[in-house]
Amino acid sequence: MKGVARNFFALAIIYAICGMVLGLSMAISQDHGQMPVHAHTMVAGFLMSSVFAFFYHLFPAAAASRLAPVHFWLTTLSGIALLVSLYFFLAGNPAIEPVTAIASVLFFVGMLLFAWIALPVLRRA
Ligand code: HEM
Ligand code: HEM
């Protein structure tokens, strides 16, 4: 595994560790107030990044696209901004909501970019 695939898999591992630490702290404290942050860190972070990693690994033509690193950085930066800002929002800081909103839209744009990269490769495969 190399390039964008390796980067996405490293990102997935970081998400898994952070998400599980948050899950354990929720379980130990019996305060599940951060459940949406935990859930999205695990599925939108860990699981999706893993799927992207394996896709780019299985389809080198997609990994060779000049847009693939753009997809990686857009997804990474917007995902981290989304989760960190949602954490502070749920911790009682409503002023941060616009950051969460913009990050959510950019995360979605990252998914559209992935579709743009992946679908032609799948059609040719
Ligand atoms: C150290 C391991 C983990 C701990 C301690 C943990 C803990 C928790 C806790 C306390 C909740 C809140 C439950 C509730 O309030 O109803 C939760 C929810 C959730 N967890 Fe975890 N979790 C762990 C690992 C995972 C993993 C590996 C995934 C997925 C890959 C995951 C996905 C989710 C999801 C999607 C929810 C939301 C479920 C719902 O909508 O009701 N968790 N977890
Ligand atoms: C633009 C990105 C996304 C936005 C804005 C978003 C928004 C939301 C919202 C508003 C909820 C309801 C939360 C609640 O009632 O407390 C939710 C729940 C959930 N979403 Fe997402 N979501 C996004 C991406 C994703 C992705 C990519 C996945 C899976 C790969 C996912 C999985 C889930 C799950 C499992 C739940 C139920 C657990 C929970 O209540 O936190 N979401 N999402």
Side-chain angles (χ1 to χ4, degrees):
M1 196 176 267
K2 56 185 175 24
V4 171
R6 190 187 53 180
N7 291 348
F8 264 122
F9 206 68
L11 178 69
I13 292 169
I14 293 168
Y15 272 134
I17 293 169
C18 295
M20 285 187 185
V21 167
L22 183 58
L24 284 170
S25 86
M26 281 161 35
I28 292 164
S29 66
Q30 300 194 351
D31 176 359
H32 294 184
Q34 291 290 349
M35 193 265 267
V37 178
H38 165 73
H40 286 87
T41 305
M42 295 314 303
V43 293
F46 170 56
L47 295 183
M48 276 187 70
S49 300
S50 305
V51 169
F52 291 144
F54 284 115
F55 183 86
Y56 284 118
H57 181 66
L58 286 171
F59 294 93
S65 162
R66 273 182 302 168
L67 289 174
V70 180
H71 171 229
F72 172 76
W73 284 110
L74 182 59
T75 300
T76 301
L77 297 177
S78 64
I80 292 171
L82 170 54
L83 294 167
V84 172
S85 66
L86 185 59
Y87 179 94
F88 285 108
F89 176 79
L90 293 175
N93 301 282
I96 205 164
E97 192 175 8
V99 178
T100 316
I102 292 166
S104 302
V105 172
L106 291 176
F107 192 74
F108 177 60
V109 172
M111 190 64 221
L112 294 179
L113 184 57
F114 177 66
W116 180 264
I117 295 166
L119 291 177
V121 174
L122 288 177
R123 208 176 47 233
R124 286 197 301 270

